[in-house]
Amino acid sequence: MRPFIVAIDGPAGAGKSTVSKLLARRLGFDLVDTGAIYRCVALMARRESIAFDDDARLGELLGRIRIHFQVVGEENHVFLDGQDVSGEIRTPENSMAASQVSSRPVVRSGLLALQRRLALEAEKGAILEGRDIGTVVFPDADAKFFLEASPEVRARRRFEELFQKGVESSLEDVLSDQTKRDRDDSARAVAPLKAAEDAVRMDSSSMPLSEVVHKLEDEIRRRLARRGA
């Protein structure tokens, strides 16, 4: 029997990363941050001065990229070719770059196998967070969720996250970048951001993320028990 697969999709700032990390810890599941994978591709392309629409060079890059995750303390760290790039991949500049490279069909198709392999290697189960997990990567996931929040709430969360990391920005700039990313992610021709038809949708605008975690955990445990029976 394959590992229990949980798909958590939604726009930037909806709380996917925090919720996924806490769920993985509480359930003993592996955590696969698919957004971080695309961010690593963007970072590597920037380092090698590869244009974000150069499909030939992006395809060649995908054949060389090596990514793995490792829990360090309470954080899920991301390693690119053995280097911890957890902070570098989440700067505003790299976030916008990731949105651009993720729209390229060669990148999305090239990373499908990697995302699926990382999840299926889990012993018990895997939490995958992203924008097309329940629609493309694992359309047959055992549980699908789509997290939402108002644009203002999402921008505020992102701004506070950047502030805590010492990244200079303004709330207006964060909201502007987020609006563009939302538009790009939803309008792209390949694997656009959208909720799967059978996904459980949850708006966290006025809900503590701890409550979101409890609600999702209860649903996952119900489905786990059903599968075990």
Side-chain angles (χ1 to χ4, degrees):
M1 185 178 293
R2 79 171 193 185
F4 191 94
I5 303 297
V6 178
I8 300 182
D9 292 310
K16 300 189 305 295
S17 295
T18 300
V19 168
S20 297
K21 180 178 67 176
L22 292 172
L23 276 174
R25 186 186 308 158
R26 292 175 68 87
L27 294 164
F29 284 10
D30 286 7
L31 176 59
V32 181
D33 182 348
T34 64
I37 296 175
Y38 286 99
R39 289 171 183 269
C40 284
V41 173
L43 178 60
M44 199 165 174
R46 291 173 63 210
R47 287 177 173 178
E48 299 186 12
S49 299
I50 298 175
F52 302 144
D53 60 354
D54 188 338
D55 289 346
R57 293 192 66 193
L58 286 172
E60 186 273 333
L61 179 154
L62 294 177
R64 297 185 282 110
I65 199 166
R66 297 292 179 270
I67 300 169
H68 76 274
F69 299 96
Q70 180 180 340
V71 177
V72 181
E74 295 188 351
E75 297 296 326
N76 189 43
H77 284 233
V78 186
F79 291 82
L80 173 61
D81 293 335
Q83 177 190 5
D84 189 340
V85 295
S86 306
E88 193 174 358
I89 63 172
R90 300 191 187 281
T91 63
E93 296 80 9
N94 201 68
S95 295
M96 294 303 296
S99 184
Q100 292 182 63
V101 299
S102 67
S103 70
R104 309 305 298 178
V106 66
V107 174
R108 300 205 76 85
S109 62
L111 291 180
L112 264 180
L114 171 62
Q115 295 173 77
R116 289 170 175 162
R117 177 177 61 77
L118 289 171
L120 294 174
E121 286 176 349
E123 289 187 14
K124 182 178 178 183
I127 308 282
L128 292 93
E129 59 145 315
R131 286 167 173 73
D132 64 343
I133 309 305
T135 54
V136 176
V137 182
F138 276 106
D140 60 344
D142 299 285
K144 301 178 188 179
F145 303 99
F146 192 85
L147 300 189
E148 303 168 281
S150 70
E152 295 77 17
V153 167
R154 293 190 287 120
R156 169 63 65 178
R157 289 173 179 168
R158 179 61 175 157
F159 172 73
E160 292 177 351
E161 178 186 352
L162 292 172
F163 179 79
Q164 291 172 4
K165 293 179 178 179
V167 178
E168 290 293 330
S169 188
S170 69
L171 182 57
E172 292 74 18
D173 288 342
V174 172
L175 181 57
S176 176
D177 288 347
Q178 174 185 280
T179 300
K180 184 179 186 307
R181 288 188 66 194
D182 286 349
R183 184 170 59 248
D184 291 347
D185 289 343
S186 300
R188 66 184 175 225
V190 180
L193 167 66
K194 64 178 181 179
E197 291 185 2
D198 54 345
V200 176
R201 302 183 70 143
M202 188 169 297
D203 191 316
S204 67
S205 298
S206 58
M207 185 188 303
L209 291 182
S210 58
E211 184 177 345
V212 177
V213 172
H214 282 298
K215 288 180 178 294
L216 268 58
E217 181 183 0
D218 286 346
E219 179 62 25
I220 292 169
R221 290 193 183 281
R222 278 195 293 271
R223 297 191 186 201
L224 273 169
R226 216 162 42 229
R227 190 170 87 160

